[in-house]
């Protein structure tokens, strides 16, 4: 636990009126929750902030650790302990339990296995939003830490700019790219979600950014402020090909819905299909998904993919390809 008292944190605040509410969701994060909460409590601000921690009925010591922070920082750490796991029931945790109890003008996000590395993060982002009313949200550069490999990748918007696009020029581009802009770095205006109409999606932050872009401007600030921790098993990373296929297929459905919701050109759906096939072609063959393989055959591919599609007519080949595909661990669908 960070060596700082609640009085020392609050001493720099102008008053106790909460300006930023930090949304922290946790489930079985006992190994990581202290690093997360310490990073939040280290924030140097001239305004009050609250840490809304929602533990989704963890089966490890996560709730116990959160309670220790609650006792030491009773005016800052505001926990909610679920008695049964809500996420598994399809309940949108932030929209249902976190956003409604947020007191702040702004909301920041940091899940229990991620963490902040810049003690001036909140002050910098709030200062920007206070001076630029046309912007509804700002975010920053970020690092990735692969937990199992004990490996860091730094400043992803800079060092891997082809994979992680720093800025999106339009809502159409965001929807087609299925972008990722590091939710653990966000700060956004709470007013933007007062009438937010969500939809079922395996990636709620993707849908939320579409809403931000449709209703305001968003901007990436030139600083690295947080680390995204990649675990072996999560919503977007899994050993299960079926789980990854389900996610990939769901995102395509969400793209269709977003195109309709925001009255975008219907021709975008063809581009969605092509990208869906490009990213998933090997996965479809490995799982012998006939309908998706048929869709892939409508587009033009390089020689290797053409051969894979041709051989996919043989079930034995599909079974063999599945083994090879898993062995090579080509199982991440971004």
């Amino acid at each position: 636990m960070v060596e700082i008292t609640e009085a020392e944190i609050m001493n720099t605040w102008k008053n106790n009126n909460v300006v930023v509410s930090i949304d922290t969701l946790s489930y079985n994060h006992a190994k990581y929750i202290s690093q997360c909460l310490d990073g939040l409590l280290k924030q140097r601000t001239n305004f009050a902030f609250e840490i809304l921690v929602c533990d989704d009925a963890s089966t490890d010591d996560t709730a116990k650790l959160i309670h220790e922070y609650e006792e030491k920082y009773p005016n800052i750490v505001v926990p909610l302990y679920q008695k049964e796991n809500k996420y598994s029931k399809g309940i949108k945790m932030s929209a249902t339990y976190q956003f409604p109890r947020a007191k702040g003008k702004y909301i920041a996000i940091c899940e229990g296995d991620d963490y902040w590395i810049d003690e001036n993060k909140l002050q910098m982002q709030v200062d920007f939003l206070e001076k630029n009313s046309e912007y509804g949200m700002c975010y920053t550069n970020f690092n990735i830490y692969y937990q199992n490999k004990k490996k860091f990748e730094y400043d992803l918007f800079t060092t891997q700019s082809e994979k992680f696009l720093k800025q999106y020029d339009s809502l159409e581009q965001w929807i087609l790219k299925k972008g990722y802009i590091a939710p653990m770095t966000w700060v956004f205006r709470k007013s933007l979600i007062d009438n937010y109409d969500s939809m079922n999606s395996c990636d709620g932050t993707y849908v939320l950014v579409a809403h931000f872009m449709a209703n305001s401007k968003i901007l990436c600030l030139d600083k690295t402020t947080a680390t995204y921790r990649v675990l072996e098993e999560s919503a977007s990373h899994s050993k299960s090909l079926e789980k990854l296929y389900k996610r990939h297929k769901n995102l395509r459905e969400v793209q269709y819905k977003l195109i309709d919701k925001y009255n975008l050109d219907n021709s975008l759906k063809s581009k969605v299909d092509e990208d869906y096939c490009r990213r998933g072609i090997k996965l479809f063959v490995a799982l012998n998904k006939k309908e998706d393989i048929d869709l892939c055959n409508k587009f033009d591919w390089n020689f290797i993919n053409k051969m894979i599609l041709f051989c996919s007519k043989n079930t034995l080949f599909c079974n063999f390809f599945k083994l090879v595909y898993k062995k090579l661990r080509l199982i991440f669908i971004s």
Side-chain angles (χ1 to χ4, degrees), residues 217-236:
K217 292 182 179 181
I218 70 173
L219 185 71
C220 181
L221 303 184
D222 192 21
K223 198 79 180 289
T224 299
T225 67
T227 297
Y228 169 43
R229 191 189 308 271
V230 176
L231 303 177
E232 186 173 36
E233 196 71 24
S234 66
S236 58

Side-chain angles (χ1 to χ4, degrees), residues 82-94:
Q82 300 293 347
K83 295 181 179 180
E84 60 177 356
N85 188 269
K86 304 295 185 181
Y87 179 81
S88 63
K89 298 180 182 295
I91 296 175
K92 300 177 180 67
M93 300 300 292
S94 292

Side-chain angles (χ1 to χ4, degrees), residues 75-118:
N75 295 298
I76 301 175
V77 178
V78 188
L80 179 62
Y81 304 101
Q82 300 293 347
K83 295 181 179 180
E84 60 177 356
N85 188 269
K86 304 295 185 181
Y87 179 81
S88 63
K89 298 180 182 295
I91 296 175
K92 300 177 180 67
M93 300 300 292
S94 292
T96 304
Y97 299 110
Q98 297 286 75
F99 296 163
R101 67 189 185 116
K103 297 178 182 178
K105 178 180 179 180
Y106 302 102
I107 292 178
I109 293 177
C110 189
E111 294 206 1
D113 54 345
D114 301 325
Y115 58 97
W116 293 353
I117 59 174
D118 187 335

Side-chain angles (χ1 to χ4, degrees), residues 137 139 157 163-183 186 203-214 218 251 254-255 258-259 262 264 268 272 275 279:
M137 189 264 274
Y139 56 101
F157 287 142
K163 182 177 180 181
F164 297 99
L165 193 59
K166 180 179 180 179
Q167 194 74 38
Y168 291 82
D169 298 325
S170 65
L171 176 59
E172 291 88 343
Q173 186 187 29
W174 170 258
I175 292 173
L176 288 176
K177 291 286 187 182
K178 298 197 300 291
Y180 179 82
I181 52 173
W186 298 1
D203 188 344
T205 59
Y206 168 62
V207 177
L208 192 54
V209 171
H211 172 75
F212 292 156
M213 294 187 72
I218 70 173
L251 283 174
V254 170
Q255 286 175 289
L258 290 174
I259 289 169
Y262 296 112
L264 302 178
L268 290 174
V272 166
D275 184 68
R279 293 172 183 259

Side-chain angles (χ1 to χ4, degrees), residues 20-47:
V20 178
S21 299
I22 305 171
D23 173 16
T24 298
L25 302 177
S26 65
Y27 176 70
N28 286 353
H29 288 157
K31 295 179 180 178
Y32 321 117
I33 192 67
S34 292
Q35 187 175 25
C36 172
L37 294 177
D38 286 353
L40 309 186
L41 290 163
K42 287 178 181 177
Q43 291 299 299
R44 295 173 178 264
T45 65
N46 60 18
F47 54 79

Side-chain angles (χ1 to χ4, degrees), residues 20 69 113 136 158 185 198 218 272 291 321 324:
V20 178
Y69 281 86
D113 54 345
T158 305
T185 73
S198 185
I218 70 173
V272 166
E291 182 179 336
F321 189 77
V324 174

Side-chain angles (χ1 to χ4, degrees), residues 254-306:
V254 170
Q255 286 175 289
Y256 270 47
K257 290 178 181 178
L258 290 174
I259 289 169
D260 291 338
K261 179 177 182 178
Y262 296 112
N263 298 313
L264 302 178
D265 193 324
N266 215 46
S267 64
L268 290 174
K269 292 179 180 178
S270 178
K271 294 181 180 180
V272 166
D273 286 346
E274 185 173 6
D275 184 68
Y276 172 73
C277 291
R278 179 181 62 80
R279 293 172 183 259
I281 184 170
K282 296 179 178 65
L283 183 62
F284 303 153
V285 174
L287 295 175
N288 199 17
K289 299 293 184 181
K290 299 294 187 183
E291 182 179 336
D292 295 299
I293 291 172
D294 288 343
L295 180 63
C296 288
N297 281 315
K298 295 181 179 180
F299 300 99
D300 192 27
W301 305 106
N302 60 31
F303 176 76
I304 294 176
N305 282 341
K306 283 181 179 179

